[in-house]
DNA sequence: ATACTTATGCGACATTAAGCACTATTTGTG
DNA sequence: CACAAATAGTGCTTAATGTCGCATAAGTAT
């Protein structure tokens, strides 16, 4: 069935599955079934089996799925074969927090935070977390040198558009944008917006619906 | 049509609509049509009209929708009549970044960041952004005093469960959880998980699918 | 071995969401 | 005031997603 037409809904669940597999692997689990995944993730077991079937026959009847195989398979599906290198553009409050946080060490085998960039002389040259903060002028050069694939954009909204263009020109094809601005990229540039105020509103609305307060 | 059975898909779009209305209102726009919203948000105009119709007849034929009315109406739908008070639990890297960031001042009329909480003596008593950081011991008391409705949980994953219980006991009914742990709440506690590593994985996967690299 | 249990993969069906196309109404213009 | 243009609201069609149930294969116990 792996004709490479993965439904949107399945795509959305991929990282959720992967996170679960990793946590199970760490906990020493050797095998899982669609039922056991279902219990933990609250996704119907039939949905899980269907999702996996888009990638081929990953399991064995009567046995289930082997955790190590799943982790390896999903890791390659999500990240590809090479480690993804990530840079933080804009080392202000949020940017420096993310640098220090370093994903809680959670994705280190497949993704790596490798640099920060800013235009503010007072942070340029500093090392935050494990990363040196470079001048934005050096973006092109460092991106090539370190093989950076992904940019996390944490600049003020006024500078977001300009930063996006610089990132695009440096040859980066994926942006996770924290600035509350709608950015549009050319063909081949994938932009993923994260807006904390949107998340909070969604929380509020769900509270309202669930309790009518 | 407002029988209070809002489809999930519509719920998910509510904050997106609201954000757009606010930005248009700020820009001085007085009226919008489902067509103009559609152009900006890339949601089919019929879907937009249908979404709105679940809340009654919000527009006028031949005219469209009045922006100020939409903002007011959606604001009440999402937040209710009173300003929501938010506290940050765990004033580490991410927590203090969020305190300083203060949502970029973007939701100030309907939500307000009012306090931080931590167990670390070196931050307790400090003022970050506009908020005082209190000792976790004071949670119950300050929540009542300041009428806090929502907690943003930015503690290390080891302390997340314990913090959740404290939050629940203090009478807060909504948690936005940044810790990479699955938290489950009792009936009436709404938990919304935000996991940056998940977002990054989703970005990676989309890059892979869109470019096959 | 044999029977029983577990659990996948998949066809068929059910539910939910999206979008077309029509109708009814209001606006705006000459 | 009359008429063209604009646009909401909605019945119905189509597409996407989710779920059931079963045939089949693997594992497990006697």
């Amino acid at each position: 069935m792996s004709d490479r037409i993965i439904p949107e809904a399945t795509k959305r669940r991929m990282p959720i599955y992967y996170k679960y597999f990793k946590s199970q692997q760490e906990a020493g689990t050797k095998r899982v079934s669609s039922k056991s995944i279902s219990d933990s993730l609250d996704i119907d077991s039939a949905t899980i089996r269907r999702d996996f079937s888009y990638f081929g026959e990953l399991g064995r009847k009567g046995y289930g799925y082997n955790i190590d195989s799943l982790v390896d398979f999903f890791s390659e599906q999500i990240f590809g074969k090479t480690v993804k290198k990530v840079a933080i553009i804009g080392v202000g409050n949020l940017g420096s927090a993310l640098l220090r946080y370093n994903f809680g060490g959670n994705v280190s085998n497949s993704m790596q935070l490798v640099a920060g960039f800013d235009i503010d002389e007072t942070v340029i040259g500093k090392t935050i977390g494990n990363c040196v903060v470079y001048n934005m002028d050096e973006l092109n050069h460092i991106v090539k040198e370190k093989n950076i694939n992904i940019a996390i954009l944490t600049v003020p909204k006024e500078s977001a558009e300009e930063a996006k263009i610089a990132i695009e020109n440096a040859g980066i094809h994926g942006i996770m944008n924290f600035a509350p601005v709608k950015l549009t990229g050319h063909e081949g540039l994938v932009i993923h917006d994260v807006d904390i105020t949107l998340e909070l509103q969604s929380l509020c609305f769900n509270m309202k619906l669930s309790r009518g307060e």
Side-chain angles (χ1 to χ4, degrees), chain A:
Chain A
M1 274 296 126
S2 63
D3 314 42
R4 297 266 106 188
I5 329 141
I6 318 290
E8 286 306 315
T10 301
K11 284 188 208 168
R12 276 199 300 273
R13 283 185 292 265
M14 292 289 290
I16 299 171
Y17 292 136
Y18 182 68
K19 177 179 178 178
Y20 175 72
F21 301 154
K22 289 281 282 188
S23 78
Q24 287 300 297
Q25 190 183 46
E26 251 168 67
T29 308
K30 289 297 173 212
R31 55 186 264 197
V32 290
S33 66
S34 56
K35 177 69 167 53
S36 70
I37 303 172
S38 173
D39 291 342
S40 301
L41 298 184
D42 205 37
I43 299 170
D44 190 276
S45 68
T47 301
I48 293 169
R49 291 198 299 280
R50 164 91 64 219
D51 280 347
F52 291 7
S53 78
Y54 293 114
F55 298 96
E57 309 211 347
L58 268 42
R60 276 149 59 200
K61 295 180 181 185
Y63 173 88
Y65 305 86
N66 178 279
I67 269 284
D68 293 339
S69 320
L70 281 180
V71 168
D72 291 351
F73 185 84
F74 273 67
S75 170
E76 184 167 337
Q77 288 302 314
I78 294 173
F79 300 108
K81 286 182 211 295
T82 57
V83 177
K84 294 291 174 195
K85 307 290 184 65
V86 182
I88 304 261
I89 316 293
V91 187
N93 287 323
L94 188 56
S96 61
L98 292 176
L99 276 175
R100 267 186 288 264
Y101 177 59
N102 196 23
F103 314 137
N106 264 0
V107 282
S108 39
N109 10 20
S110 10
M111 301 190 88
Q112 229 181 321
L113 207 44
V114 296
F117 291 89
D118 209 304
I119 52 170
D120 178 357
E121 293 293 343
T122 65
V123 289
I124 292 169
K126 284 193 179 163
T127 300
I128 302 181
N130 305 313
C131 297
V132 176
V133 179
Y134 299 94
N135 192 309
M136 268 300 268
D137 294 345
E138 297 194 74
L139 187 65
N140 277 323
H141 145 234
I142 305 278
V143 162
K144 273 182 202 91
E145 184 179 304
K146 293 192 185 276
N147 244 291
I148 294 170
N149 315 97
I150 291 172
I152 298 180
L153 191 52
T154 45
V155 300
K157 60 172 173 250
E158 297 75 28
S159 335
E161 185 63 28
E162 188 186 355
K164 188 210 71 181
I165 295 169
I167 290 166
E168 204 164 16
N169 289 338
I172 289 176
H173 302 294
I175 297 178
M176 181 146 106
N177 173 38
F178 278 88
V181 204
K182 171 118 179 168
L183 297 180
T184 40
H186 293 125
E187 184 65 31
L189 174 64
V190 181
I191 298 178
H192 191 108
D193 294 295
V194 177
D195 186 332
I196 294 162
T197 63
L198 238 50
E199 306 289 344
L200 268 169
Q201 286 167 24
S202 159
L203 174 65
C204 274
F205 191 47
N206 283 318
M207 286 168 72
K208 189 130 174 304
L209 291 175
S210 93
R211 335 186 54 250
E213 67 184 14

Coordinates of all heavy atoms in Angstrom, one line a residue, chain A residues 46-75:
Chain A
A46 N -7.8 0.8 15.1 CA -8.0 0.6 13.7 C -7.4 1.7 12.9 O -6.7 1.5 11.9 CB -9.5 0.5 13.4
T47 N -7.5 2.9 13.5 CA -6.9 4.1 12.9 C -5.3 3.9 12.8 O -4.7 4.2 11.8 CB -7.2 5.3 13.6 OG1 -8.7 5.5 13.6 CG2 -6.6 6.6 13.0
I48 N -4.8 3.4 13.9 CA -3.4 3.2 14.0 C -2.9 2.2 13.0 O -2.0 2.4 12.2 CB -3.0 2.8 15.4 CG1 -3.2 3.9 16.4 CG2 -1.5 2.3 15.5 CD1 -3.2 3.5 17.9
R49 N -3.6 1.1 12.9 CA -3.2 0.0 11.9 C -3.3 0.6 10.5 O -2.4 0.4 9.7 CB -4.1 -1.2 12.1 CG -3.8 -2.0 13.4 CD -4.4 -3.4 13.3 NE -5.8 -3.4 13.1 CZ -6.7 -3.3 14.1 NH1 -6.3 -3.0 15.3 NH2 -8.0 -3.3 13.9
R50 N -4.4 1.3 10.2 CA -4.5 1.9 8.9 C -3.4 2.9 8.6 O -2.8 2.9 7.6 CB -5.9 2.6 8.8 CG -6.1 3.6 7.7 CD -6.6 3.0 6.5 NE -8.0 2.5 6.7 CZ -8.5 1.4 6.1 NH1 -7.7 0.6 5.4 NH2 -9.7 1.0 6.4
D51 N -3.1 3.8 9.6 CA -2.0 4.7 9.4 C -0.7 4.0 9.0 O 0.0 4.3 8.0 CB -1.7 5.5 10.7 CG -2.7 6.6 10.9 OD1 -3.4 7.0 9.9 OD2 -2.8 7.2 12.0
F52 N -0.4 3.0 9.8 CA 0.9 2.3 9.5 C 0.9 1.6 8.2 O 1.9 1.5 7.5 CB 1.1 1.2 10.6 CG 1.4 1.8 12.0 CD1 1.4 3.1 12.2 CD2 1.8 1.0 13.0 CE1 1.6 3.7 13.5 CE2 2.1 1.5 14.3 CZ 2.0 2.8 14.5
S53 N -0.3 1.1 7.8 CA -0.4 0.4 6.5 C 0.0 1.2 5.3 O 0.4 0.6 4.3 CB -1.8 -0.2 6.3 OG -2.7 0.8 5.9
Y54 N -0.1 2.5 5.4 CA 0.4 3.4 4.3 C 1.8 3.2 4.0 O 2.3 3.5 3.0 CB 0.0 4.8 4.6 CG -1.5 5.1 4.6 CD1 -2.1 5.5 5.8 CD2 -2.2 5.0 3.4 CE1 -3.4 5.8 5.8 CE2 -3.6 5.2 3.5 CZ -4.2 5.6 4.7 OH -5.5 5.8 4.7
F55 N 2.6 2.7 5.0 CA 4.0 2.6 4.9 C 4.4 1.2 4.6 O 5.6 0.9 4.6 CB 4.7 3.1 6.1 CG 4.5 4.6 6.4 CD1 3.5 5.0 7.3 CD2 5.2 5.5 5.7 CE1 3.2 6.3 7.5 CE2 5.0 6.9 6.0 CZ 4.0 7.3 6.8
G56 N 3.5 0.3 4.4 CA 3.8 -1.1 4.1 C 3.3 -2.0 5.3 O 2.5 -1.6 6.1
E57 N 3.8 -3.2 5.3 CA 3.4 -4.1 6.4 C 4.5 -4.1 7.5 O 5.5 -4.8 7.4 CB 3.2 -5.5 5.8 CG 2.3 -5.5 4.6 CD 1.4 -6.8 4.5 OE1 1.7 -7.8 5.2 OE2 0.5 -6.7 3.7
L58 N 4.2 -3.3 8.5 CA 5.2 -3.0 9.5 C 5.1 -4.0 10.7 O 6.1 -4.1 11.5 CB 5.0 -1.6 10.1 CG 5.8 -0.5 9.4 CD1 5.9 -0.6 7.9 CD2 5.2 0.9 9.8
G59 N 4.0 -4.7 10.8 CA 3.8 -5.6 11.9 C 3.7 -7.0 11.6 O 3.8 -7.4 10.4
R60 N 3.6 -7.9 12.6 CA 3.4 -9.3 12.4 C 2.1 -9.7 13.1 O 1.9 -9.4 14.2 CB 4.5 -10.1 12.9 CG 5.7 -10.2 12.0 CD 7.0 -10.2 12.7 NE 7.1 -11.4 13.6 CZ 8.0 -11.5 14.6 NH1 8.8 -10.4 14.9 NH2 8.0 -12.5 15.4
K61 N 1.3 -10.5 12.3 CA 0.0 -10.9 12.9 C 0.2 -11.7 14.1 O 1.2 -12.5 14.1 CB -0.8 -11.7 11.8 CG -1.2 -10.8 10.7 CD -1.9 -11.6 9.6 CE -2.2 -10.6 8.4 NZ -3.1 -11.1 7.4
G62 N -0.6 -11.5 15.1 CA -0.4 -12.3 16.3 C 0.7 -11.9 17.2 O 0.8 -12.3 18.4
Y63 N 1.5 -11.0 16.8 CA 2.7 -10.5 17.5 C 2.6 -9.0 17.9 O 2.7 -8.6 19.0 CB 4.0 -10.8 16.8 CG 5.2 -10.2 17.4 CD1 5.9 -10.9 18.4 CD2 5.7 -9.0 17.0 CE1 7.1 -10.4 18.9 CE2 6.8 -8.5 17.6 CZ 7.5 -9.2 18.6 OH 8.6 -8.7 19.2
G64 N 2.4 -8.2 16.8 CA 2.3 -6.8 17.0 C 3.5 -6.1 16.3 O 3.9 -6.6 15.2
Y65 N 4.1 -5.1 16.9 CA 5.1 -4.3 16.2 C 6.4 -4.3 17.1 O 6.2 -4.2 18.3 CB 4.7 -2.9 15.9 CG 3.5 -2.8 15.1 CD1 2.2 -2.8 15.7 CD2 3.5 -2.7 13.7 CE1 1.0 -2.6 15.0 CE2 2.3 -2.5 13.0 CZ 1.1 -2.5 13.6 OH 0.0 -2.4 12.9
N66 N 7.5 -4.5 16.5 CA 8.8 -4.4 17.3 C 9.2 -2.9 17.4 O 9.3 -2.2 16.5 CB 9.9 -5.2 16.5 CG 11.2 -5.1 17.2 OD1 11.9 -4.1 17.1 ND2 11.5 -6.1 18.0
I67 N 9.4 -2.5 18.7 CA 9.6 -1.1 19.0 C 10.9 -0.6 18.3 O 10.9 0.5 17.7 CB 9.8 -0.9 20.5 CG1 8.4 -0.6 21.1 CG2 10.7 0.2 20.9 CD1 7.9 0.8 20.9
D68 N 12.0 -1.3 18.3 CA 13.2 -0.8 17.7 C 13.0 -0.6 16.2 O 13.5 0.4 15.7 CB 14.4 -1.8 18.0 CG 14.7 -1.9 19.4 OD1 14.4 -0.9 20.2 OD2 15.3 -2.9 19.9
S69 N 12.3 -1.5 15.6 CA 12.1 -1.4 14.1 C 11.3 -0.1 13.9 O 11.5 0.6 13.0 CB 11.4 -2.6 13.5 OG 11.9 -3.8 14.1
L70 N 10.2 0.0 14.7 CA 9.3 1.2 14.5 C 10.1 2.5 14.7 O 10.0 3.4 13.9 CB 8.2 1.2 15.6 CG 7.0 0.2 15.3 CD1 6.0 0.3 16.4 CD2 6.4 0.6 13.9
V71 N 10.9 2.6 15.7 CA 11.7 3.8 16.0 C 12.6 4.1 14.7 O 12.6 5.2 14.2 CB 12.6 3.7 17.2 CG1 13.6 4.8 17.3 CG2 11.7 3.7 18.5
D72 N 13.3 3.0 14.3 CA 14.2 3.2 13.1 C 13.4 3.7 11.9 O 13.8 4.6 11.2 CB 15.0 2.0 12.8 CG 16.0 1.7 13.9 OD1 16.2 2.5 14.8 OD2 16.6 0.6 13.9
F73 N 12.3 3.0 11.7 CA 11.5 3.2 10.5 C 11.0 4.6 10.5 O 11.1 5.4 9.5 CB 10.4 2.2 10.3 CG 9.7 2.4 9.0 CD1 10.1 1.8 7.8 CD2 8.5 3.1 9.0 CE1 9.5 2.0 6.7 CE2 7.8 3.3 7.8 CZ 8.3 2.7 6.6
F74 N 10.3 5.0 11.6 CA 9.7 6.3 11.7 C 10.7 7.4 11.7 O 10.5 8.5 11.1 CB 8.8 6.4 12.9 CG 7.4 5.9 12.7 CD1 7.1 4.6 12.4 CD2 6.3 6.8 12.7 CE1 5.9 4.1 12.2 CE2 5.0 6.3 12.5 CZ 4.8 5.0 12.2
S75 N 11.9 7.2 12.3 CA 12.9 8.2 12.3 C 13.3 8.5 10.9 O 13.5 9.6 10.5 CB 14.1 7.6 13.1 OG 15.2 8.5 13.0

